[in-house]
Structure formats: C-alpha cells, structure tokens
C-alpha cells in the first residue's frame, strides 16, 4: 500500500512537472510571437515616421515656394502703386508714399518671417499656427494694396 501511494505520488508529481514544462514551452513560444509582432510594429512605426518626415519637408518646401510667389506678386503690385504716384496731385503724394512704404515694409517683413522660420517637424501645432498667421498677414497685405489702389483711382 505504501508502495502504491509512493508510485501514485511520483506519477502525480511527474505529470505536474511535464504539464508545467509544456505550459512553460507554450509561454516561451507565445513570448517569441509577441516579440516578433512587436518588432513588426516598431518597423512599421519607423516607416510611418520617416514618411511623415518626408511629407512634412515636402509640405514645408511647397509652402515656401508658394509664399515666395505670393510675395513676388505683391512686389509687382507695389511697383504698380509707385507708378501711379506720378498721376497724383502733389499734395496727396506724401501720404501716398508713406502708405506705399508701409506696405513695402510689411512685404519685406513677411519675406524675413518665411526665410527665418525654423523647420521643426516635431511641433506640428507651431507649424500650423505659423501657416495660418502668415496666410492671414499675406491676405491683409493684399487688401491694403487693393484698397490703396482703389483710393488712388478716385
């Protein structure tokens, strides 16, 4: 009877050990699969980050090109305003020249603003704010030019 109990106890312990080994092997296999999945996720995230960087640089360069074209157009409009000066009465020229100079300065300031903007791809909010403010300033400058041209035409 003692021998039977002993054999039964050894058998139970052996089964428990084998089952434990099988569970451990399954856990190791699951961990390996999780590591492989995590590596794939990291690689995918790195690829997404690189694509986002490239997209950001392309967007930034396109914005600068568009801004340069808009500022060049503003310079042409300012030159037209200066040509209109000759048609004005002598008394109105001083005030007109002052307004044209102010518009010219604002355009030059916007050129500097675009040129000096630091391209920080990590701060998207700063970039969006910069674009919004710059476009607003360019629109206001265009309105000033248009209004000065209209006022002069009268």
């Amino acid at each position: 009877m003692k021998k039977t109990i002993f054999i039964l106890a050894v058998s139970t312990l052996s089964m428990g050990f084998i089952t434990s080994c099988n569970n451990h092997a399954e856990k190791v296999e699951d961990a390996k699969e999780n590591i492989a999945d995590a590596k794939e996720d990291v690689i995918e995230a790195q690829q997404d980050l690189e694509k986002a960087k490239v997209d950001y640089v392309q967007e930034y360069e396109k914005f600068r090109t568009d801004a340069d074209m808009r500022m060049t157009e503003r310079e042409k409009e300012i030159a037209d305003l200066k040509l209109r000066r000759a048609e004005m009465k002598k008394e109105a020229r001083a005030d007109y020249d002052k307004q044209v100079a102010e518009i010219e300065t604002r355009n030059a300031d916007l050129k500097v603003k675009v040129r000096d903007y630091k391209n920080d791809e990590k701060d998207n909010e700063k970039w969006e704010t910069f674009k919004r403010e710059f476009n607003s300033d360019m629109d206001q400058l265009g309105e000033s030019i248009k209004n000065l041209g209209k006022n002069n035409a009268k």
Side-chain angles (χ1 to χ4, degrees):
M1 176 89 123
K2 285 184 180 185
K3 191 174 184 180
T4 307
I5 293 175
F6 178 73
I7 292 175
L8 187 58
V10 170
S11 297
T12 304
L13 286 174
S14 297
M15 291 300 282
F17 181 72
I18 291 171
T19 303
S20 174
C21 286
N22 285 342
N23 285 341
H24 181 69
E26 287 175 14
K27 287 179 183 179
V28 168
E29 192 60 38
D30 287 345
K32 286 181 182 178
E33 287 176 16
N34 289 339
I35 289 172
D37 290 344
K39 284 181 181 178
E40 287 176 23
D41 291 345
V42 167
I43 290 169
E44 190 175 312
Q46 286 173 333
Q47 290 170 342
D48 290 347
L49 179 61
E50 289 302 316
K51 183 181 181 323
K53 285 180 182 179
V54 168
D55 290 348
Y56 180 82
V57 168
Q58 288 174 343
E59 178 187 357
Y60 176 73
E61 290 304 318
K62 182 181 181 322
F63 178 83
R64 284 189 68 158
T65 301
D66 291 346
D68 287 342
M69 288 184 346
R70 288 175 72 188
M71 286 181 285
T72 300
E73 182 62 33
R74 295 292 184 253
E75 288 171 351
K76 290 177 185 175
E77 293 169 345
I78 292 168
D80 288 342
L81 290 175
K82 288 179 178 180
L83 290 175
R84 291 182 189 168
R85 180 186 187 276
E87 302 166 3
M88 298 181 71
K89 294 180 183 177
K90 202 173 199 178
E91 307 83 42
R93 287 182 184 171
D95 186 46
Y96 185 80
D97 289 344
K98 182 180 172 188
Q99 290 175 346
V100 170
E102 182 182 305
I103 288 171
E104 207 167 18
T105 300
R106 287 171 48 199
N107 195 55
D109 290 346
L110 287 171
K111 272 186 163 184
V112 170
K113 187 176 183 178
V114 168
R115 184 192 68 214
D116 291 348
Y117 179 76
K118 299 297 179 215
N119 185 7
D120 184 5
E121 65 225 19
K122 294 176 185 157
D123 193 349
N124 193 46
E125 186 175 321
K126 179 182 171 189
W127 168 239
E128 292 300 324
T129 300
F130 174 81
K131 286 191 310 186
R132 186 176 53 256
E133 288 175 358
F134 180 85
N135 286 326
S136 175
D137 291 345
M138 283 298 292
D139 292 343
Q140 289 174 4
L141 181 61
E143 284 298 313
S144 295
I145 292 170
K146 189 168 100 177
N147 290 338
L148 186 59
K150 281 182 184 178
N151 290 340
N152 181 43
K154 292 180 182 178

